[in-house]
Amino acid sequence: MPAYHDKKLYQAADEEDAEYVGIELGFHGCKVTEGQIYRLERNYNNPHIFENGEAYVVDDETRDNYAVFMLCKIVLYK
């Protein structure tokens, strides 16, 4: 079942508005699937650095993956 439960998604303007991340092009070590949409999660453990929480996705190995934003070509959705 998809992360967004068949709800209509719209492209988000920036990371703060986004609720989901679509992987257009994955990196070999990133452990996400190209074409898949992942729910955007937020870590609020360090509010002095990340005002809206540090964004991450739970990857295919059920680990928190913060590198998706740097290593993969993504599309943000809301």
Side-chain angles (χ1 to χ4, degrees):
M1 179 174 267
Y4 53 92
H5 303 288
D6 297 326
K7 129 182 180 183
K8 183 142 174 111
L9 298 179
Y10 299 95
Q11 197 162 357
D14 55 27
E15 193 176 298
E16 284 78 31
D17 290 337
E19 297 177 35
Y20 302 95
V21 176
I23 308 297
E24 281 192 353
L25 183 62
F27 182 73
H28 177 64
C30 214
K31 309 295 187 213
V32 291
T33 305
E34 288 181 16
Q36 186 78 349
I37 296 176
Y38 296 85
R39 181 170 186 76
L40 184 63
E41 306 288 342
R42 297 196 181 271
N43 179 346
Y44 294 97
N45 290 339
N46 201 343
H48 300 290
I49 297 175
F50 300 100
E51 184 175 311
N52 296 319
E54 185 176 10
Y56 67 95
V57 298
V58 177
D59 64 19
D60 296 342
E61 294 181 346
T62 65
R63 294 184 180 165
D64 297 347
N65 190 327
Y66 295 89
V68 167
F69 302 96
M70 294 180 285
L71 298 176
C72 301
K73 183 176 179 185
I74 61 169
V75 178
L76 299 171
Y77 295 106
K78 57 181 175 179

